[in-house]
């Protein structure tokens, strides 16, 4: 039916702002309240309200609201406990006074002597995570990220603290306790974990990642030789050599016409990384000869310019009698597929394979491309081929290029085409 509290609190750290009955408690009638924030003491009594019914169940009775006088809280102290002020102590009343009630002494448990520092240290100087970047030009793997940062930690109770670093390299198979001495991180994702722990065991842990992609970046400028009528998308084979195994990738490039020698720019093409990229070549698949160059380097990117000489229709890196035969076969068919601006033989990207395209073959006839890999061009251009050989190779549809019917496709057939200005339709 009543509660009497005799308490102390550490006035160095705490100020008691308020004492109130817990909402819903039957002991909701405050009888006395004496708070001494200088001495750090509380005398408080609360009883059964006029309409309340006493209870024998366990429950929360009183809320005490403190504010922290100063911070941070450091060291050890017993912040709060029970005491007695003469005859005024902590007790429960079992009945109302005058009714023969008795006083019950509850089990009073002081807050133990504890470490007051619960605030983790602050770590400063940690860089941001590094999003994916390419392998440095001049390296086979890895990229320079930065020199080791100056990282420190401060604890409000302990001052300056040491900061431990754990470097977890890609695959988690290798770890280190220091930043790479040269600032170079390997290909893949590296995790960096900085940790600071104060004397009270409060820990701050900050994690970052550094990602290096398994590629280098190439910016290529490509010129499509000749007058191009319409817009065309050409599949380009980009190849490189030096510092490791040769590599080759295929990417699309868009050339817009009408224009003489239209240009396509390919920015940020990802190519396999090499310690040395001493040769880069470009070739339009089924359209041009290969052309190679030694790349320049600017801002960690490879730069290369290529002029694509058209006329190679079978992608053997030579313009020869086979390309002439393919042109004639395309010129002789009514198949709409061969009229597409990107089709083989339609070098000027108009609506048909015709004599205008023959000019590209004629201008580049018997030329070979310049690739990065020795011997990649094969045996070189072929001047003549028999109809029998074409059929033996499964290229019988190209026999239509034997326009003079002598069993060979050769310069005489080219002269015949040039002389009559038209292609004899394919025989059934």
């Amino acid at each position: 039916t009543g509660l009497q509290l005799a308490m102390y609190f550490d006035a160095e750290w705490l100020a008691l702002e308020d004492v109130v009955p817990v909402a819903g408690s039957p002991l909701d009638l405050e009888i006395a309240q004496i708070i001494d924030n200088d001495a750090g003491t509380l005398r408080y009594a609360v009883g059964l309200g006029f309409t309340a019914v006493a209870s024998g169940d366990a429950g929360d009775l009183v809320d005490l609201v403190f504010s922290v006088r100063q911070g941070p809280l450091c060291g050890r102290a017993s912040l709060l406990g029970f005491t007695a002020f003469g005859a005024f102590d902590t007790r429960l009343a079992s009945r109302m006074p005058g009714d023969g009630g008795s006083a019950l002494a509850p089990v009073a448990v002081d807050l133990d002597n504890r470490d007051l520092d619960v605030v983790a240290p602050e770590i400063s100087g940690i860089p941001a995570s590094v999003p994916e970047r390419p392998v440095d030009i001049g390296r086979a793997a890895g990229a320079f990220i930065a020199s080791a940062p100056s990282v420190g930690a401060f604890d409000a109770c302990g001052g300056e603290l040491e900061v431990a670093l754990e470097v977890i390299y890609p695959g988690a198979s290798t770890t280190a306790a220091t930043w790479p001495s040269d600032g170079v991180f390997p290909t893949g994702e590296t995790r960096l974990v900085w940790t600071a722990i104060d004397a009270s065991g409060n820990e701050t842990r900050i994690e970052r990642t550094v990602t290096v992609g398994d590629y280098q970046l190439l910016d290529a400028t490509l010129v499509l030789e000749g007058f191009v009528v319409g817009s065309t998308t050409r599949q380009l084979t980009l190849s490189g050599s030096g510092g490791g195994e040769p590599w080759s990738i295929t990417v699309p490039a868009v050339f817009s016409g009408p224009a003489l020698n239209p240009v396509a720019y390919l920015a940020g093409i990802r190519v396999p990384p090499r310690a040395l990229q001493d040769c880069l070549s470009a070739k339009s698949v089924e359209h041009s000869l290969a052309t190679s160059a030694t790349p320049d380097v600017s801002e960690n990117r490879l730069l290369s310019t290529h002029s694509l000489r058209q006329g190679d229709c079978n992608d053997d890196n030579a313009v020869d009698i086979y390309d002439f035969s393919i042109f004639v076969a395309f010129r002789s068919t009514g198949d709409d597929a061969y009229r597409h601006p990107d089709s083989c033989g339609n070098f000027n990207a108009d609506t048909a394979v015709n004599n205008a395209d023959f000019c590209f073959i004629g201008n580049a006839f018997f030329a070979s491309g310049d690739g990065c890999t020795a011997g990649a061009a094969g045996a070189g251009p072929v001047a003549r081929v028999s109809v029998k050989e074409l059929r033996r190779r499964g290229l019988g549809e190209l026999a239509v290029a034997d326009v003079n019917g002598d069993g060979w496709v050769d310069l005489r057939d080219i002269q015949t085409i040039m002389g009559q200005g038209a292609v004899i339709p394919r025989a059934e």
Side-chain angles (χ1 to χ4, degrees):
T1 59
L3 168 65
Q4 181 174 286
L5 288 180
M7 306 190 70
Y8 72 87
F9 54 91
D10 192 330
E12 179 183 358
W13 300 109
L14 302 178
L16 181 54
E17 302 290 345
D18 200 8
V19 186
V20 293
V22 170
S25 168
L27 304 184
D28 59 358
L29 178 64
E30 290 187 306
I31 300 170
Q33 182 188 98
I34 302 175
I35 298 174
D36 188 340
N37 275 313
D38 293 325
T41 59
L42 167 66
R43 296 173 176 85
Y44 185 73
V46 65
L48 195 66
F50 295 107
T51 60
V53 178
S55 171
D57 297 330
D60 297 327
L61 301 180
V62 178
D63 282 332
L64 291 83
V65 181
F66 292 92
S67 62
V68 178
R69 286 184 181 271
Q70 59 180 328
L73 298 179
C74 299
R76 301 187 66 86
S78 179
L79 292 178
L80 183 66
F82 297 88
T83 186
F85 306 105
F88 191 93
D89 58 6
T90 298
R91 65 181 66 183
L92 291 168
S94 63
R95 289 190 179 90
M96 294 296 290
D99 293 340
S102 60
L104 305 176
V107 177
V109 181
D110 299 343
L111 288 183
D112 59 353
N113 187 280
R114 64 181 59 199
D115 191 334
L116 302 182
D117 181 11
V118 295
V119 179
E122 294 184 359
I123 301 179
S124 61
I126 293 181
S129 290
V130 178
E132 186 172 288
R133 63 175 56 182
V135 170
D136 287 343
I137 305 299
R139 301 183 194 275
F144 174 79
I145 301 301
S147 299
S150 179
V151 176
F154 181 81
D155 182 64
C157 292
E160 299 291 337
L161 295 177
E162 293 291 330
V163 180
L165 171 62
E166 183 183 20
V167 182
I168 306 166
Y169 288 109
S173 58
T174 305
T175 62
T178 58
W179 188 275
S181 59
D182 57 2
V184 174
F185 284 75
T187 302
E189 182 183 88
T190 298
R191 292 171 53 216
L192 302 158
V193 182
W194 287 269
T195 305
I197 304 175
D198 65 19
S200 299
N202 301 304
E203 177 181 287
T204 298
R205 177 185 173 97
I206 299 178
E207 182 171 332
R208 297 286 189 265
T209 58
V210 172
T211 305
V212 179
D214 188 24
Y215 58 87
Q216 290 170 330
L217 293 178
L218 166 65
D219 295 340
T221 301
L222 302 145
V223 180
L224 196 61
E225 293 186 5
F227 187 82
V228 174
V229 176
S231 178
T232 179
T233 300
R234 300 292 170 86
Q235 296 299 316
L236 297 179
T237 298
L238 301 176
S239 305
S241 66
E245 290 295 321
W247 55 263
S248 181
I249 61 174
T250 300
V251 294
V254 178
F255 298 87
S256 297
L260 178 63
N261 303 329
V263 179
Y265 299 98
L266 300 180
I269 299 298
R270 296 186 177 190
V271 302
R274 296 291 184 268
L276 175 65
Q277 303 268 17
D278 63 358
C279 180
L280 290 176
S281 73
K283 184 184 188 308
S284 174
V285 178
E286 295 187 344
H287 286 91
S288 83
L289 300 173
T291 175
S292 65
T294 299
D296 295 322
V297 177
S298 176
E299 297 182 350
N300 203 35
R301 299 167 85 99
L302 298 164
L303 307 179
S304 188
T305 300
H306 302 272
S307 186
L308 303 175
R309 191 178 185 186
Q310 298 194 85
D312 178 17
C313 209
N314 61 352
D315 206 31
D316 64 355
N317 208 23
V319 179
D320 57 14
I321 203 67
Y322 283 100
D323 301 294
F324 169 75
S325 301
I326 294 171
F327 162 77
V328 174
F330 283 3
R331 180 71 176 88
S332 303
T333 183
D335 192 337
D336 288 340
Y338 299 128
R339 296 174 181 170
H340 191 278
D342 303 334
S343 67
C344 176
N346 192 1
F347 300 113
N348 67 348
D350 60 3
T351 58
V353 177
N354 52 33
N355 288 345
D357 301 295
F358 177 72
C359 295
F360 290 88
I361 295 177
N363 289 335
F365 193 76
F366 229 60
S368 296
D370 176 23
C372 287
T373 305
V382 177
R384 65 198 307 256
V385 61
S386 67
V387 172
K388 181 178 180 180
E389 177 65 13
L390 289 174
R391 290 171 177 162
R392 188 184 70 82
R393 294 189 178 193
L395 301 174
E397 72 277 6
L398 302 185
V400 69
D402 178 22
V403 294
N404 65 358
D406 64 355
W408 290 86
V409 181
D410 52 19
L411 290 176
R412 289 189 177 89
D413 299 296
I414 296 177
Q415 292 168 350
T416 301
I417 294 294
M418 296 177 65
Q420 66 187 29
V423 176
I424 298 173
R426 178 184 299 180
E428 295 295 334

